[in-house]
Amino acid sequence: WRFTDGKAGHDKQSLALVDNIKNQTKCRLFDINIQSQQNPILNIIFKNYNLPEGIAKPDIAIGAGHKTHLYLLAVKRCLNAKIVVIMKPSLPLSFFDLCVIPKHDGIKKSSNVINTQSSLVSFNSNPKKKENTGLILIGGPSKHYFWDSKIVLEEICKILKKFKFSRLLLSTSRRTPIDFLDLLNELNVSDIKVYEYSKIKSGWLDKHINKVKNIWVTNDSYSMVTE
């Protein structure tokens, strides 16, 4: 089973792991949205779990994101599944059969911890000729980085002067400040096609990463830099 919490970054990491498992061995995959499940605490307390209709009992359950942790523990207790958590969990490591954690989180390798060099990502290199298009991915404030929309816009203006593209695409993220797009519009830059994070379809980024010639990323998002 792959538990999902609705966050694109978490979903991509768990899917990357599942895709590579499928390349190694035969398996059946069931995606389980945690919002469709009953309270996992009750499952754990009463050791009772009603299987969703049409879904087989799991041998392995995988989850990324803190909200998936209790659901993983519920299927471990009730259905005797091995559970795999991606990223440093908010619960003790010993609760999980396997923890897949990037080195930057500072957790050393152990019997149930595998360290990765970066966030997990399905890498699909496109050997075809790239389009003369640039792509700029905009993050936002985080606990690790000071954010200033005006400074970021100054960098974008430098890119526009230095590179000549037939198209330049820009995508925001869920952390991009509201004032960023307002300030960008004030520049009256006609050479940029802006895509707001809340309005783009799933798979949009994967599609364009493979097609564009150059990509710039604000370094506040580790998963975005990895992609």
Side-chain angles (χ1 to χ4, degrees):
W1 290 10
R2 184 175 73 103
F3 282 110
T4 61
D5 63 0
K7 291 187 177 181
H10 296 162
D11 186 60
K12 283 189 174 185
Q13 290 203 56
S14 61
L15 188 60
L17 180 57
V18 166
D19 283 345
N20 280 278
I21 290 174
K22 289 166 69 177
N23 289 336
Q24 299 294 325
T25 186
K26 291 182 178 180
C27 64
R28 296 173 67 196
L29 169 64
F30 297 94
D31 286 343
I32 312 290
N33 189 317
I34 60 173
Q35 294 179 352
S36 68
Q37 299 299 289
Q38 64 189 82
N39 190 328
I41 296 177
L42 296 178
N43 295 143
I44 294 169
I45 292 173
F46 297 107
K47 200 177 180 180
N48 180 51
Y49 200 105
N50 295 321
L51 284 174
E53 186 176 351
I55 293 181
K57 180 180 175 182
D59 297 300
I60 300 173
I62 296 171
H66 298 302
K67 291 182 178 180
T68 66
H69 293 172
L70 290 177
Y71 294 91
L72 291 172
L73 294 177
V75 297
K76 179 178 176 64
R77 173 166 167 76
C78 302
L79 304 177
N80 201 31
K82 299 293 185 182
I83 58 173
V84 180
V85 65
I86 300 172
M87 300 184 293
K88 180 182 176 182
S90 52
L91 298 172
L93 301 176
S94 60
F95 285 11
F96 303 91
D97 294 292
L98 183 63
C99 305
V100 182
I101 304 175
K103 282 187 175 181
H104 72 83
D105 278 341
I107 304 297
K108 293 183 179 180
K109 182 180 178 181
S110 65
S111 60
N112 73 327
V113 174
I114 291 178
N115 290 135
T116 59
Q117 295 292 334
S118 66
S119 303
L120 299 182
V121 62
S122 290
F123 183 72
N124 179 24
S125 179
N126 187 347
K128 295 181 180 179
K129 185 178 179 181
K130 304 293 185 179
E131 297 178 358
N132 185 31
T133 304
L135 174 63
I136 299 175
L137 304 176
I138 303 297
S142 77
K143 61 183 179 181
H144 301 293
Y145 287 95
F146 169 78
W147 178 271
D148 188 312
S149 293
K150 291 183 178 179
I151 291 176
V152 176
L153 288 166
E154 287 175 3
E155 294 300 314
I156 291 173
C157 289
K158 291 178 183 178
I159 292 170
L160 287 169
K161 289 180 180 179
K162 185 174 181 180
F163 296 87
K164 300 299 180 183
F165 294 109
S166 57
R167 288 193 307 158
L168 185 59
L169 314 177
L170 181 147
S171 173
T172 61
S173 71
R174 59 188 174 90
R175 289 187 293 104
T176 304
I178 296 175
D179 77 321
F180 177 81
L181 287 180
D182 292 335
L183 292 170
L184 179 62
N185 290 332
E186 289 178 7
L187 293 177
N188 292 320
V189 179
S190 59
D191 300 332
I192 298 179
K193 173 66 175 178
V194 176
Y195 292 85
E196 292 187 50
Y197 170 80
S198 60
K199 298 178 181 179
I200 58 178
K201 296 180 180 179
S202 175
W204 182 92
L205 181 58
D206 295 332
K207 173 185 174 182
H208 285 89
I209 278 179
N210 273 324
K211 293 170 63 176
V212 300
K213 191 174 182 179
N214 295 88
I215 304 174
W216 289 267
V217 186
T218 59
N219 64 340
D220 52 275
S221 171
Y222 190 71
S223 60
M224 202 157 65
V225 170
T226 301
E227 290 202 72

